[in-house]
Amino acid sequence: MFITFEGIDGSGKSTQARLLAEHLRARGHEVVLTREPGGSPGAEEIRRLVLEGDPERWSAETEILLFTAARRDHLERVIEPALAAGKVVISDRFADSTRMYQGLSRGDLRGVVDRLHALMIGREPDLTFVIDMDPDLGLARARARNGTEERFEDFGADLQRKMRAGFVALAAEFPGRCRLIDGNRPAETVAAEVAAVADRALA
Ligand code: ADP
Ligand code: TYD
């Protein structure tokens, strides 16, 4: 079972991915908790290139290639071996993030993202939690972390609003695997809903 968390910056994906991993481990599942961009040593190196520095550093087209290169390495070295060994893989972001951030943020490149995905990745999650949340609150939470990985946060509130609408539409586009979750609630309340959905899917 391959489970992903998607949503805007600061929506609580990392928190929920960690809580779901703890929940499933307590129920006896072997779980690999991972993230994108990154998740393998090579992909973590690419992560630094895409998340640090000036927002204008890369065009959207170049980013599609960089994020897809990172994903291919992550898939080959971490995700596929774990799934083949019968483990549950939980990833904080995956291909839907490229569909949104590179596919929508600077013009309509969704077709290019989808073609490259089909060619180089060709795998969708079994279950995707799309965490929905107020974009200004998400941005404030993300900025409060005060790290160096602020390249996308520096695109600002307009991008964050566009991405929020995009993720809600994405959940409707893939109703078979996506569950839209209200992230404007205490983390434990969100986690209980996520755990119940995952338990049902794993049963
Ligand atoms: P993301 O991975 O989506 O960027 P995080 O899980 O890192 O989000 O959460 C961003 C910040 O918001 C963190 O400081 C986290 O502790 C806090 N946070 C996460 N979930 C909630 C919640 N449901 N309510 C309030 N704060 C939260
Ligand atoms: P992440 O570390 O998940 O940040 P956050 O915890 O703030 O949500 O991701 C960092 C940024 O990378 C995020 O702003 C979205 C962006 N991103 C893309 O633009 N395309 C992608 O394919 C992925 C995986 C992430």
Side-chain angles (χ1 to χ4, degrees):
M1 167 84 62
F2 179 27
I3 301 173
T4 58
F5 283 84
E6 298 281 0
I8 59 175
D9 294 332
S11 57
K13 297 175 301 299
S14 315
T15 304
Q16 293 304 323
R18 185 173 42 75
L19 293 173
L20 180 62
E22 285 169 12
H23 169 79
L24 294 179
R25 282 179 187 135
R27 305 202 64 174
H29 294 282
E30 268 198 89
V31 178
V32 172
L33 177 60
T34 187
R35 68 163 181 186
E36 289 204 355
S40 63
E44 290 287 334
E45 288 193 36
I46 298 174
R47 177 181 178 101
R48 231 164 300 130
L49 292 175
V50 285
L51 297 192
E52 296 181 16
D54 191 83
E56 304 310 317
R57 182 176 186 186
W58 308 109
S59 70
E61 287 84 351
T62 309
E63 279 174 16
I64 293 172
L65 294 165
L66 289 168
F67 280 106
T68 305
R71 181 161 306 124
R72 174 75 198 204
D73 191 65
H74 184 212
L75 188 70
E76 282 175 9
R77 291 168 198 261
V78 175
I79 298 174
E80 280 179 341
L83 292 174
K87 296 174 186 168
V88 176
V89 175
I90 301 175
S91 186
D92 178 356
R93 295 193 185 277
F94 189 66
D96 292 325
S97 285
T98 314
R99 294 187 171 105
M100 296 296 107
Y101 285 84
Q102 283 65 50
L104 297 181
S105 66
R106 285 151 285 172
D108 180 10
L109 290 172
R110 174 67 191 276
V112 178
V113 172
D114 284 340
R115 292 212 298 280
L116 194 62
H117 177 79
L119 196 63
M120 284 295 152
I121 309 296
R123 162 151 220 146
E124 300 299 343
D126 300 300
L127 177 61
T128 298
F129 292 102
V130 179
I131 306 192
D132 184 43
M133 109 146 302
D134 175 73
D136 295 320
L137 189 54
L139 191 58
R141 280 192 197 164
R143 286 207 164 121
R145 282 184 301 223
N146 248 330
T148 52
E149 295 181 336
E150 298 206 324
R151 199 172 149 251
F152 281 87
E153 283 147 33
D154 290 344
F155 281 106
D158 279 351
L159 176 74
Q160 187 85 344
R161 271 186 220 111
K162 209 181 211 178
M163 292 299 105
R164 193 258 186 112
F167 277 117
V168 171
L170 182 106
E173 184 182 344
F174 299 107
R177 67 174 168 89
C178 288
R179 287 293 295 250
L180 192 63
I181 302 282
D182 177 8
N184 300 286
R185 298 175 292 168
E188 313 77 62
T189 311
V190 177
E193 183 181 351
V194 165
V197 172
D199 286 345
R200 242 177 288 131
L202 278 158

